[in-house]
């Protein structure tokens, strides 16, 4: 009798053991540097600029050094010297001028690692230094022009309400918002700053590249293989099918392995091309911290107006982000920052002006949250101030104004589906006992003060605006012998669990058990371009393509099963006359035998209601939002100003948790990154160079610094999400930690910090000025 | 310099300059790439192995110091193809995300459970404080270790 389709228990919503778990816990997983050496392989190194800005006159190779077995690549060896991304402004190797410290200038390759290190010392760079622009404000003022016509990489203006009406009438929108503010009963102004953050994935950047008759190959620690593919297309002018980019097991990325790997892969491939040998380039920690992208620092100047009863009315924000020397993904980061700047709240009138400028610091780039943590930090801190002004608890102000179904956002997006701000607040408050603890006031025991604070936020799920329509992400599902499915996608698993979650989604959609679904290694030669693995879109967007493809493939097999059933056998009580129905496996094999290959290739279709106007920056910025409320309890040592996070609660709406354990793991891990950003992580700059490029002095939280996390998963399904309504989850937990920590510190000590990080030194300084009555 | 040591129960010999790092010996000639390098300065703990049962950072140990000593790496934790309780719990409780810190975490945890079969949460956190994880927020790791401790005490799996 038929053994299948197996009535498999649903796996979505169950925390199955992650499929890449066993190799990871046995040491069998091969990360890039674990891949055995290829015959003839050599190592690669980069010679970098010691100065942040200058004219590059030339490169001298020490004639006393034996260069016979060292491959040297200079800018002139690069076919098209540009790292293809959005604006194509960044050279692969600097030539003519240097725009930031650590900018790559020369590449060296050698089989002997020690000799290679000596070769780096034997290269002299002839650079005439120029005065660098190291501060975003100075860059905006335009005293020295270092990028484009005015140092400005991108600007956006978002208007809503009266400012918008003024814009339509052709009048000054800023005057309109100023007038709206002037009409408000309570007006509060403040500036809120945030700083660089290093992704600090534990596995450094690394790539192995080689060339053969099939073309160029690179394999490495890569979040978005098709970015590297695109970079190779431009730099080498190869046809697409002669470029083969493969992800190796990746030891974390957090955005740091989104665009940067194009550079290291291009470098390795250039050395490989010149030497004719495979090249392994693995950064050491210092080089990794110095040269790779970081979170954009931002400053936000906010003026808001509200009624005395706390109804929020008008909001004016000016955002300035520091992009670093080249544009990288800055315009997209700035966009997400601007789109989240009004917070999770309803305003009648909004005016948000955002600008990102270039400076002579290493280019900043993608980092979990992608611009939103910077502006959410600002608006949350600001509302805490407004609450103080009104004499109410921030919770009441935030809960009163949080966006509800039917409300519209700053871009005029009417929130119709999956709106869970209120529920997240209710659940987080209940879990943490915020009200009672807050009412009890700061508890001071000896020299330790305890306080509690919260943040409320939403995060756009998926790409911004028309991103999906433009990208047309695709996924392929193959039928494999024995009724198995194989998922081919460019969405990588860099630790977040993509592989497992996609298998769960596909298995459920096809009605198969989990172990019948495989996940193919992401390689640009064999998987379709699903779009980058970013912006919380992996599960919500790409997962829904996986779901559709799995459904289609399974239905084809079922049709084959049905088609093979003898019509005569129907309705006659299952008489033994007809042959037994085909099992799912048999039908699948028969279909495969007949067609050779059975694949479902699907492309993403955004929900039709999504309407976005890129010119006016209006409409549905995201198909939906994830929602959350974080509550943090801290203890502050009143002598040393050291802060200990004692407990952390987060109620996070994820639409649907496909895998609850991994989902909580994402929220906990992201929240700890936020705590690190808030309290200890700081890049210390001196003349455009980093003074602390090591794990010893760039301090991320350890297990003793991490609080117990209490995560409440709220599930307000997104009707177009896979697995019954999943939305993005990866970025959101970065958004709310810092403002909640700051609010808790303020509750404990009265210190209202407005700039990150909240190190003991800064808190002490703030306490001092407060003592002199200068706070606020 | 020739050094004889016992790696995961088997006698092995390597020939390397005496100041070479144990980490390089493991990942190089011994072919055990399960031990990872994250910082090369004793900060991240990714390279943690057991040296005569004690957790050490293999990036800070010279091979010359290892003559005659017992080294346990992540490859030595599973027994006859079966995951140890710790390994199983890391898979089931979400203790491994990207997995790059996991081998080092497992060995620090292994050393802890060997001396303290029923550790408190604080003890676990203290034992793992030298192992940085950027993915998990440590919560799942702490839970994995405590679940493994319970499993070992209950005889739910063969202790390696
Ligand atoms: S590599 Fe040894 S502690 Fe980081
Ligand atoms: S799991 Fe990625 S660093 Fe720990």
């Amino acid at each position: 009798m038929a053994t299948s389709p197996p009535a498999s228990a649903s796996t979505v919503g169950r925390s199955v053991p992650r499929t890449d778990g066993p190799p990871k816990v046995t040491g069998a997983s091969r990360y890039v540097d674990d891949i055995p050496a290829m015959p003839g392989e050599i190592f690669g190194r980069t010679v970098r600029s010691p100065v942040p800005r200058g004219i590059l006159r030339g490169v001298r190779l020490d004639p006393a050094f034996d260069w016979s077995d060292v491959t040297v690549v200079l800018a002139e060896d690069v076919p098209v010297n540009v790292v293809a991304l959005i604006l194509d402004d960044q050279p692969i190797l600097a030539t003519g001028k240097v725009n930031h410290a650590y900018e790559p200038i020369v590449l060296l390759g050698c089989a002997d690692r020690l000799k290679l290190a000596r070769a780096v010392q034997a290269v002299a760079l002839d650079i005439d230094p120029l005065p660098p622009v190291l501060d975003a404000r100075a860059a905006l003022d335009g005293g020295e022009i270092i990028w484009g016509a005015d140092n400005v990489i991108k600007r956006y203006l978002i208007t809503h309400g009266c400012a918008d009406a003024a814009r339509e009438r052709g009048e000054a929108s800023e005057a309109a918002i100023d007038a709206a503010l002037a009409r408000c009963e309570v007006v509060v102004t403040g500036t809120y700053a945030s700083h660089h953050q290093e992704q600090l994935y534990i596995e450094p950047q690394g790539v192995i590249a080689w060339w053969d008759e099939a073309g160029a190959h690179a394999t490495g620690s890569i979040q978005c293989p098709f970015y590297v593919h695109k970079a190779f297309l431009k730099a080498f002018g190869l046809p697409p099918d002669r470029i083969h980019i493969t992800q190796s097991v990746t030891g974390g990325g957090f955005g740091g392995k989104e665009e940067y790997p194009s550079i290291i892969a291009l470098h390795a491939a250039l050395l490989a091309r010149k030497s004719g040998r495979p090249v392994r380039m693995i950064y050491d920690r210092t080089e990794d911290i110095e040269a790779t992208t970081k979170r954009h620092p931002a400053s936000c100047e906010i003026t808001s107006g509200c009624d005395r009863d706390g109804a929020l009315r008008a909001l004016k924000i000016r955002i300035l982000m520091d992009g670093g020397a080249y544009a990288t993904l800055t315009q997209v980061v700035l966009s997400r920052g601007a789109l989240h700047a009004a917070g999770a709240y309803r305003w009648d009138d909004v005016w948000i002006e955002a600008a990102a400028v270039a400076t002579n610091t290493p280019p900043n780039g993608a980092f979990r949250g992608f611009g939103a943590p910077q502006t959410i930090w600002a608006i949350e801190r600001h509302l805490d101030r407004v609450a103080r002004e009104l004499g109410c608890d921030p919770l009441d102000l935030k809960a009163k104004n949080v966006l509800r179904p039917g409300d519209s956002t700053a871009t005029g997006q009417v929130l119709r589906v999956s709106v869970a701000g209120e529920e997240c607040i209710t659940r987080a408050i209940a879990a943490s006992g915020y009200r009672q603890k807050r009412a009890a006031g700061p508890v001071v025991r000896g020299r330790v003060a305890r306080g509690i604070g919260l943040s409320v936020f939403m995060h756009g799920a998926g790409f911004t605006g028309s991103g999906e329509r433009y990208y047309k992400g695709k996924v392929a599902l193959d039928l494999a012998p024995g009724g198995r499915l194989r998922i081919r996608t460019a969405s990588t698993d860099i630790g977040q669990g993509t592989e497992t979650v996609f298998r769960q989604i596909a298995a459920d959609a096809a009605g198969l058990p989990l172990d019948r679904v495989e996940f193919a290694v992401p390689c640009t030669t064999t998987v379709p371009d699903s779009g980058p693995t970013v912006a919380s879109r992996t599960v919500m967007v790409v997962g829904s393509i996986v779901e559709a493809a799995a459904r289609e493939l399974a239905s084809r097999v079922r049709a084959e099963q049905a088609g093979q059933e003898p019509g005569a056998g129907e309705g006659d009580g299952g008489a033994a006359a007809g042959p037994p129905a085909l099992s799912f496996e048999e039908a699948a094999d028969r279909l495969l035998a007949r067609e050779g290959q059975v694949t479902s290739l699907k492309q993403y279709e955004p929900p039709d209601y999504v309407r976005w106007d890129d010119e006016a920056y209006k409409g549905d910025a995201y198909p939906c939002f994830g929602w959350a409320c974080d509550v943090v309890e801290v203890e502050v040592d009143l002598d040393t100003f050291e802060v200990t996070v004692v407990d952390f609660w987060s109620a996070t709406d994820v639409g649907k948790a496909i895998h609850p354990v991994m989902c909580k793991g994402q929220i906990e891990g992201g929240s700890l990154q936020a705590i690190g950003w808030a309290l200890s992580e700081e890049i210390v700059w001196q003349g455009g160079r980093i003074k602390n490029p090591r794990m010893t002095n760039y301090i991320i939280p350890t297990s003793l610094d991490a609080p117990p996390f209490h995560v409440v998963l709220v599930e307000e399904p997104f009707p177009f999400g896979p697995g019954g309504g999943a939305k993005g989850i990866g970025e959101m937990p970065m958004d709310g930690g810092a403002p909640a920590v700051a609010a808790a510190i303020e509750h404990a000590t009265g210190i209202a910090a407005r700039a990150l990080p909240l190190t003991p030194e800064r808190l002490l300084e703030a306490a001092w000025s407060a003592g002199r009555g200068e706070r606020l | 310099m020739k050094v004889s040591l016992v790696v995961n129960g088997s006698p092995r010999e390597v020939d390397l300059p005496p100041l070479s790092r144990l980490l390089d010996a493991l990942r190089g000639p011994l072919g055990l790439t399960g031990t990872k390098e994250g910082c090369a300065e004793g900060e991240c703990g990714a390279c943690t192995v057991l040296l005569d049962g004690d957790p050490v950072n293999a990036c800070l140990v010279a091979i010359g110091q290892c003559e005659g000593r017992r080294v346990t790496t992540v490859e030595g934790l599973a027994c006859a193809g079966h995951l140890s309780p710790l390994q199983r719990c890391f898979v089931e409780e979400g203790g491994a995300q990207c997995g790059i810190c996991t081998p080092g975490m497992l060995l620090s945890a292994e050393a802890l459970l060997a001396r303290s079969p029923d550790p408190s949460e604080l003890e676990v956190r203290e034992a793992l404080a030298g192992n940085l994880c950027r993915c998990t927020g440590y919560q799942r790791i702490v839970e994995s270790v405590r679940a493994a401790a319970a499993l070992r005490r209950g005889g739910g799996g063969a202790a390696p």
Side-chain angles (χ1 to χ4, degrees):
Chain A
M1 69 160 278
T3 54
S4 54
S8 59
S10 165
T11 80
V12 164
R14 281 201 300 129
S15 298
V16 300
R18 59 185 294 158
T19 52
D20 53 349
K24 282 179 173 169
V25 299
T26 54
S29 293
R30 289 217 195 275
Y31 298 79
V32 58
D33 202 25
D34 304 335
I35 297 171
M38 299 173 68
E41 187 180 283
I42 62 174
F43 299 103
R45 286 279 302 258
T46 315
V47 182
R48 300 175 180 278
S49 169
V51 298
R53 184 170 172 227
I55 304 293
L56 176 60
R57 302 256 174 241
V59 172
R60 278 177 291 116
L61 304 181
D62 182 353
F65 190 82
D66 168 23
W67 294 96
S68 61
D69 57 349
V70 178
T71 304
V72 181
V73 169
L74 302 166
E76 68 217 41
D77 298 311
V78 186
V80 178
N81 193 4
V82 60
V83 183
L85 199 58
I86 297 178
L87 297 184
D88 292 2
D89 61 334
Q90 182 170 15
I92 297 169
L93 292 176
T95 165
K97 58 184 177 158
V98 168
N99 288 314
H100 64 90
Y102 321 114
E103 181 157 22
I105 297 175
V106 182
L107 304 170
L108 302 176
C110 183
D112 177 348
R113 258 191 171 134
L114 285 175
K115 178 160 185 192
L116 184 58
R118 289 206 312 277
V120 173
Q121 305 303 317
V123 177
L125 302 173
D126 198 357
I127 303 176
D128 293 345
L130 287 170
V133 178
L134 300 173
D135 174 73
R137 180 61 52 188
L140 187 67
D141 293 345
E144 289 265 338
I145 300 302
I146 56 164
W147 194 94
D150 57 0
N151 298 333
V152 176
I153 295 173
K154 191 75 186 178
R155 278 183 204 275
Y156 298 102
L157 180 64
I158 296 173
T159 50
H160 180 67
C162 67
D164 207 29
R167 217 166 145 193
E168 271 164 27
R169 291 193 304 267
E171 292 166 17
S173 58
E174 191 175 352
I177 194 75
D178 288 344
L181 284 163
R183 288 192 294 273
C184 291
E185 289 175 352
V186 180
V187 176
V188 177
T189 297
T191 300
Y192 310 88
S194 59
H195 60 308
H196 284 98
Q197 184 181 23
E198 162 62 32
Q199 290 87 355
L200 215 86
Y201 29 71
I202 305 294
E203 178 207 32
Q205 304 265 356
V207 162
I208 301 171
W210 68 100
W211 294 72
D212 61 17
E213 52 302 329
H217 302 258
T219 181
S221 191
I222 295 171
Q223 200 172 325
C224 305
F226 277 95
Y227 277 18
V228 182
H229 190 269
K230 177 178 168 187
F232 274 44
L233 275 178
K234 176 106 183 183
F236 296 113
L238 293 165
D241 60 347
R242 295 189 54 78
I243 303 167
H244 314 275
I245 312 296
T246 309
Q247 186 218 8
S248 51
V249 181
T250 297
F254 317 112
K257 291 173 184 170
E258 180 176 345
E259 75 275 33
Y260 193 85
S262 296
I263 296 182
I264 182 170
L266 286 166
H267 288 173
L270 282 163
L271 279 166
R273 184 165 165 267
K274 187 144 181 199
S275 63
R277 302 168 80 171
V279 172
R280 179 176 301 239
M281 270 187 119
I282 312 283
Y283 286 174
D284 65 24
R285 183 56 61 181
T286 295
E287 183 170 25
D288 199 301
I289 293 181
E290 287 175 341
T292 68
T293 58
K294 326 224 165 306
R295 180 182 304 288
H296 290 71
S299 95
C300 302
E301 239 175 84
I302 305 183
T303 305
S304 72
C306 63
D307 297 349
R308 207 160 295 286
D309 71 356
L312 298 179
R313 296 291 173 212
L315 176 68
K316 177 180 180 184
I317 306 186
R318 237 184 259 277
I319 304 167
L320 178 61
M321 279 196 188
D322 178 351
Y326 297 107
T328 67
L329 298 166
T330 290
Q331 65 180 66
V332 199
V333 171
L334 181 71
S335 155
R336 194 168 271 264
L339 289 167
H340 287 78
Y345 308 102
R346 197 179 334 103
W347 303 88
D348 298 338
D349 304 303
V350 181
W351 185 92
I352 301 168
E353 188 196 65
V357 292
T359 59
N360 294 118
T361 54
N364 297 312
F367 194 152
R368 193 178 210 163
F370 216 71
Q374 292 94 313
T375 54
I376 290 174
W377 154 254
I379 191 73
E380 284 300 290
R381 278 280 66 203
H382 184 78
L383 287 195
D384 290 350
R385 286 198 63 209
V386 174
R388 195 151 13 93
E389 202 72 30
L390 296 169
C392 69
D393 193 277
L395 166 61
D396 297 316
L397 178 66
K398 292 175 183 183
K400 179 184 175 88
N401 293 286
V402 71
L403 288 158
R404 294 175 170 79
D407 285 345
S408 64
T409 68
T411 61
Q413 172 167 5
V414 180
L415 299 174
R416 289 181 218 286
V417 294
S418 197
V419 184
E422 279 182 289
E423 187 176 356
C424 289
I425 296 176
T426 310
R427 301 279 295 273
I429 294 311
S432 60
Y434 175 92
R435 281 222 183 268
Q436 304 81 296
K437 290 176 181 168
R438 189 87 182 175
V443 180
V444 181
R445 229 181 271 115
R447 52 187 251 199
V448 174
R450 190 181 263 251
I452 191 165
L454 62 72
S455 62
V456 177
F457 50 102
M458 62 176 190
H459 194 104
F463 269 152
T464 303
S466 325
E468 296 298 350
R469 288 214 166 82
Y470 160 78
Y471 220 103
K472 302 192 186 352
K474 289 178 218 41
V475 166
L477 241 81
D478 304 324
L479 195 59
R484 301 177 66 78
L485 304 184
R486 198 178 65 209
I487 304 168
R488 285 187 285 128
T489 168
S491 292
T492 54
D493 194 326
I494 60 173
Q496 78 282 48
T498 306
E499 181 176 325
T500 307
V501 167
F502 278 8
R503 289 180 60 219
Q504 288 178 280
I505 292 171
D508 269 26
L512 293 173
L514 188 64
D515 60 11
R516 295 269 286 278
V517 185
E518 297 158 17
F519 183 87
V521 172
C523 166
T524 56
T525 315
T526 53
V527 304
D529 187 354
S530 319
T533 310
V534 297
S536 308
R537 69 184 284 277
T538 299
V539 169
M540 183 180 93
V541 169
V542 186
S544 79
I545 324 177
V546 168
E547 184 171 65
R551 260 200 209 115
E552 182 182 271
L553 214 55
S555 76
R556 289 189 61 193
V557 176
R558 300 235 153 81
E560 181 78 12
Q561 274 180 292
Q564 293 304 323
E565 271 171 14
E570 269 168 30
D572 59 2
L582 283 178
S583 71
F584 188 89
E585 294 88 328
E586 288 163 340
D589 285 343
R590 184 184 293 223
L591 193 60
L592 264 179
R594 194 171 65 242
E595 299 196 2
Q597 185 177 357
V598 182
T599 294
S600 169
L601 178 69
K602 287 248 173 233
Q603 180 176 313
Y604 187 65
E605 294 298 340
D608 330 315
Y609 68 81
V610 177
R611 295 272 175 277
W612 176 250
D613 178 342
D614 236 328
E615 289 302 310
Y617 247 57
K618 286 219 157 305
D620 300 304
Y622 301 94
C624 68
F625 294 83
W627 302 81
C629 176
D630 286 352
V631 182
V632 175
E633 200 167 0
V634 299
E635 281 185 353
V636 184
D637 184 314
L638 296 173
D639 285 352
T640 64
F641 288 99
E642 278 168 299
V643 177
T644 309
V645 179
V646 185
D647 264 307
F648 194 111
W649 295 266
S650 182
T652 303
D653 160 41
V654 299
K656 165 81 190 172
I658 307 279
H659 188 293
V661 161
M662 290 201 303
C663 200
K664 287 186 177 177
Q666 284 297 305
I667 295 168
E668 292 156 2
S671 299
L672 189 60
Q673 280 179 333
I675 292 173
W677 187 49
L679 291 178
S680 67
E681 297 182 33
E682 183 164 27
I683 296 282
V684 183
W685 296 93
Q686 187 173 46
R689 294 179 59 93
I690 297 174
K691 281 178 72 185
N692 57 337
R694 300 166 60 188
M695 279 193 175
T696 342
N697 43 26
Y698 182 86
I699 308 297
I700 65 165
T702 70
S703 50
L704 282 174
D705 306 315
F709 289 99
H710 316 279
V711 175
V712 179
L713 293 177
V714 175
E715 296 183 298
E716 186 65 47
F718 170 53
F720 303 89
K727 306 190 272 200
I729 173 60
E731 300 203 282
M732 219 182 345
M734 187 70 224
D735 292 337
V741 167
I745 294 173
E746 182 176 348
H747 184 228
T749 63
I751 300 171
R754 289 192 248 158
L756 290 170
L758 309 169
T759 54
E761 295 83 347
R762 279 162 188 269
L763 292 175
L764 179 68
E765 212 175 291
W768 266 77
S769 4
R772 294 201 301 269
E774 287 171 11
R775 173 156 66 87
L776 304 180
Chain B
M1 175 187 183
K2 278 201 185 8
V3 178
S4 307
L5 62 177
V6 178
V7 182
N8 298 329
S10 315
R12 304 288 297 265
E13 193 180 82
V14 289
D15 190 0
L16 285 168
L19 287 182
S20 307
R21 309 176 301 171
L22 171 58
L23 178 60
D24 298 323
L26 292 170
R27 291 183 52 84
L30 295 169
L32 298 169
T33 53
T35 305
K36 309 300 180 193
E37 174 168 349
C39 69
E41 58 179 3
E43 276 298 321
C44 72
C47 65
T48 306
V49 298
L50 303 186
L51 193 57
D52 292 333
D54 293 328
V56 296
N57 291 325
C59 69
L60 296 183
V61 175
I63 191 69
Q65 296 170 279
C66 298
E67 176 62 37
R69 301 180 75 179
R70 274 183 306 121
V71 179
T72 307
T73 71
V74 67
E75 288 91 345
L77 289 182
C79 197
H82 291 290
L83 299 184
S84 72
L86 257 176
Q87 289 173 309
R88 241 162 67 200
C89 291
F90 265 70
V91 175
E92 282 163 14
E93 308 286 328
Q97 287 188 14
C98 81
I100 196 85
C101 70
T102 308
M105 284 285 177
L106 286 167
L107 289 153
S108 290
E110 186 66 39
L112 167 71
L113 296 189
R115 61 168 197 272
S116 174
D118 186 11
S120 68
E121 173 169 348
L122 182 63
E123 264 182 277
V124 176
R125 288 186 182 270
E126 278 170 352
L128 301 181
N131 293 79
L132 296 177
C133 175
R134 190 58 154 167
C135 297
T136 62
Y138 304 102
Q139 183 81 28
R140 311 274 122 209
I141 294 179
V142 172
E143 282 168 23
S144 302
V145 175
R146 298 197 73 193
L151 202 59
R152 278 162 59 131
R153 289 195 312 277

